[in-house]
Amino acid sequence: MNKEDLFLILSNIYTKNWTKSLWAKNFILAFFVTISTGLISSCSLPSQIIGSRTPQQTAQAERKDDNVAKIAPPPIFKNSRDPNFVVSVVQEVGPAVVRIDTSKTVTSRVPDQFNDPFFRRFFGSRVPVEPRERQQRGNGSGFIISSNGEILTNAHVVDGADRVTVELKDGRKFNGQVLGEDPVTDVAVIKIDADNLPTVPLGDSERLQPGEAVIAIGNPLGLNYTVTSGIISATGRSSSDIGASDKRVDYIQTDAAINPGNSGGPLLSAQGRVIGMNTAIIRGAQGLGFAIPVNTVKRISEQLISKGRVDHPYLGIQMVTLTPEVKEKLNSEIGNPNISSDKGVLLIRIMRGSPASQGGLKAGDVIVSINKQSVKRNEDVQKIVENSKIGQPLSLKVERNGRSVNLTVRPAPLPAANRS
């Protein structure tokens, strides 16, 4: 008979009044206490629960804990060591982020086909005879860099706008004046008539590393002052990498959500400093946003504020990155066996009257180095030229017909027709 059966029998005896004597009740109660004590003493409780761990056991447990891998905090928290650092940054910087609304008049011209008598006879009065005008509206974001009302945004946000309205977080609205815009880097400066405005500090984008925490603030899809966060996914993404070959920018890639309307807003570090200007998304992609590095933004905006334009160095060349595959294709389609190099930048066209033409460059030349810096891709040439000075000579080493040639080219200002 086990202990549970014995308990059941004794309980029945006690409750069914099989005996009513005081002696019998006391005997049964004493039996219950004895059995219960035995059951409790036979249980093996963990020493850490009853507080009887020995010093040796404690030391062993601590050594075991030391061997357990620590769970690292997510990258978004690692930089600041504060899970609520996003809140602090938004509270500090948020008032300096603005919404920008624009409008411009777009004229719809009548296609020439509608002037044909056949169309007019068939469609009658339904054929439009005069150009029609309509208002095209857009919106974006920006951030205040001076208390007297200087604001940075994307050039494409204000391009061609007849009217620019800036709305602050506190609800105030101002008419904005475009001081200058640079379509080559997609940076613009707006000025509003106001004083004592909140500003956002500008950081340094030179030493950014993938994995650093970032915060984006803007007005995506018209939803005012939206905050998203993530990390830097990559740095140095060329304009050709993201399908913007007409731009001269090495972009920051981030997984912080960026949507239409975020354009021109700040990409912030965990310390609340602007490290980039949000500018581009790839249609159909998820988790891919891009920002112009703030060092580029500062360099361009200073010129826009001081003289209303940016003079970009210009050589006047069309080029392609040379690879063995490109070389084989050229030799097979054009029959040009004179390209001996497998690496470098191949010039496929030289603009008439350009600095490159005046410096002696020819189509078919392969640029190997500029100012003794090796070049292997289009982006290498573009970066060196963009960082050069107008009028100051560049020393180029090229391969031509199997031999090495040294040339000097002086960059000129980029013609206005090539900027858009």
Side-chain angles (χ1 to χ4, degrees), residues 371-388:
N371 287 349
K372 297 183 178 181
Q373 298 181 52
S374 176
V375 295
K376 298 180 180 179
R377 306 182 305 156
N378 291 359
E379 293 80 12
D380 299 335
V381 175
Q382 180 175 290
K383 182 181 250 185
I384 293 174
V385 172
E386 179 65 18
N387 292 329
S388 67

Side-chain angles (χ1 to χ4, degrees), residues 242-310:
I242 69 169
S245 56
D246 59 328
K247 299 294 184 283
R248 293 189 182 183
V249 176
D250 285 335
Y251 292 91
I252 301 167
Q253 180 182 331
T254 178
D255 68 348
I258 295 175
N259 292 283
N262 273 117
S263 292
L267 187 69
L268 302 156
S269 68
Q271 292 73 39
R273 294 184 173 272
V274 178
I275 57 171
M277 176 189 288
N278 299 320
T279 186
I281 57 173
I282 297 179
R283 292 187 180 277
Q286 295 182 0
L288 291 176
F290 299 92
I292 305 169
V294 73
N295 288 9
T296 299
V297 174
K298 286 190 286 188
R299 175 173 59 86
I300 299 300
S301 62
E302 287 170 359
Q303 297 181 62
L304 292 175
I305 292 172
S306 63
K307 57 184 181 181
R309 71 178 193 279
V310 178

Side-chain angles (χ1 to χ4, degrees), residues 226-249:
T226 297
V227 179
T228 58
S229 64
I231 60 171
I232 294 176
S233 303
T235 58
R237 293 296 193 204
S238 69
S239 54
S240 59
D241 287 339
I242 69 169
S245 56
D246 59 328
K247 299 294 184 283
R248 293 189 182 183
V249 176

Side-chain angles (χ1 to χ4, degrees), residues 79-242:
N79 291 87
S80 66
R81 303 180 185 277
D82 176 10
N84 293 318
F85 79 95
V86 175
V87 176
S88 301
V89 169
V90 173
Q91 289 176 344
E92 179 181 354
V93 176
V97 180
V98 302
R99 172 177 173 139
I100 300 173
D101 290 289
T102 62
S103 64
K104 61 181 177 180
T105 303
V106 178
T107 302
S108 301
R109 300 191 178 278
V110 180
D112 293 337
Q113 291 86 344
F114 284 105
N115 291 321
D116 188 288
F118 169 79
F119 279 97
R120 291 198 172 276
R121 185 169 60 252
F122 186 80
F123 290 102
S125 61
R126 288 176 293 176
V127 177
V129 294
E130 296 292 337
R132 294 182 178 180
E133 293 185 348
R134 61 184 178 85
Q135 289 294 312
Q136 182 175 311
R137 303 184 185 279
N139 77 283
S141 306
F143 49 96
I144 306 171
I145 59 169
S146 68
S147 59
N148 64 348
E150 291 172 345
I151 298 169
L152 301 185
T153 187
N154 279 150
H156 75 259
V157 170
V158 297
D159 182 40
D162 301 322
R163 181 181 177 87
V164 176
T165 303
V166 176
E167 181 179 348
L168 275 58
K169 190 175 182 180
D170 60 15
R172 288 183 292 168
K173 293 184 179 181
F174 300 88
N175 291 326
Q177 175 192 359
V178 179
L179 296 182
E181 53 183 296
D182 180 45
V184 176
T185 56
D186 201 16
V187 175
V189 181
I190 300 173
K191 179 74 168 63
I192 61 175
D193 187 12
D195 293 312
N196 300 319
L197 296 174
T199 62
V200 56
L202 304 183
D204 184 2
S205 56
E206 186 65 27
R207 295 180 178 83
L208 297 177
Q209 297 292 327
E212 290 187 36
V214 291
I215 305 161
I217 306 178
N219 307 285
L221 305 174
L223 301 172
N224 288 358
Y225 303 101
T226 297
V227 179
T228 58
S229 64
I231 60 171
I232 294 176
S233 303
T235 58
R237 293 296 193 204
S238 69
S239 54
S240 59
D241 287 339
I242 69 169

